[in-house]
Every structure is written in C-alpha cells, then in structure tokens.
C-alpha cells in the first residue's frame, strides 16, 4: 500500500537540511530503485522552485510499504529527523485515485 510521509521543518533549519541531504537522498534513491517510490520532494518556503536562503517548510514522500508500521519505522530513521530538520513527521495511508 502507498503511504504519505509529511515532514515539517524546524524554522531556520536550512543548514542542517543541506548537511543531511545526501544521506536523505540516498534512502530515497533506494526506494526508487526498488520500485517503491511514487513521488518525493520539498516544500519551498516561498513561491519559488529555488527558495535560496528562505529554505523549506518540509517535505512530502509517497512510497509503497508493507504496512503503516513499516512506513513509520522508515520515516523515523530519516536523516532529516536525526539532524533536527523535522519538528514533526506524520505518516498516513494514501489511496491514489487520479490520474
């Protein structure tokens, strides 16, 4: 089943985000390579694909996991969480309807 992982950033955590990004992307690439990643990306803090120093307010990942517990466990091990980038992470089942 698909699950959405919503990470909300700590304000002013851009430096920590940039430092942890390679490890964060490595895990996403592993999901992609396993055919389990539907979509992933950050939420820019301003209306721009490159927000510069404004940074980001969070991230959204939608991926396939065996269970809610497996998705939560994966999210709990995210390098952004360990680096103090995320102030909160929510994991929910996701049902794709469109397109």
């Amino acid at each position: 089943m698909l699950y959405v992982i919503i990470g909300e950033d700590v304000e002013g955590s851009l430096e920590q985000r940039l430092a942890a990004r390679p490890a964060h992307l490595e895990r996403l690439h592993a999901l992609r390579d396993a055919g389990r990643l539907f979509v992933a990306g950050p939420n820019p803090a301003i209306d721009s694909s490159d927000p510069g120093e404004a940074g980001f307010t969070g991230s959204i990942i939608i991926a396939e996991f065996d269970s809610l517990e497996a998705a939560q466990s994966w999210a709990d091990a995210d390098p952004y969480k360990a680096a103090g980038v995320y102030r909160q992470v929510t994991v929910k089942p996701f049902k794709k309807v469109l397109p």
Side-chain angles (χ1 to χ4, degrees):
M1 179 166 193
L2 291 173
Y3 294 88
V4 60
I5 299 169
I6 305 163
E8 298 177 45
D9 286 13
V10 170
E11 192 172 328
S13 62
L14 180 59
E15 187 175 318
Q16 295 95 314
R17 177 182 266 273
L18 294 175
R21 188 170 190 262
H24 174 77
L25 289 177
E26 184 177 325
R27 297 177 80 234
L28 290 173
H29 290 157
L31 280 179
R32 179 201 60 202
D33 294 348
R36 296 173 40 208
L37 183 63
F38 181 68
V39 68
N43 303 110
I46 60 173
D47 190 12
S48 172
S49 62
D50 182 7
E53 292 181 14
F56 301 89
T57 61
S59 301
I60 295 175
I61 299 164
I62 301 176
E64 185 179 336
F65 293 93
D66 291 334
S67 65
L68 178 58
E69 293 77 20
Q72 184 69 59
S73 178
W74 188 91
D76 287 343
D78 194 295
Y80 282 172
K81 191 167 182 184
V85 175
Y86 289 155
R87 67 173 180 83
Q88 179 177 336
V89 177
T90 304
V91 180
K92 301 180 194 183
F94 179 80
K95 180 179 175 183
K96 181 182 183 279
V97 174
L98 292 171

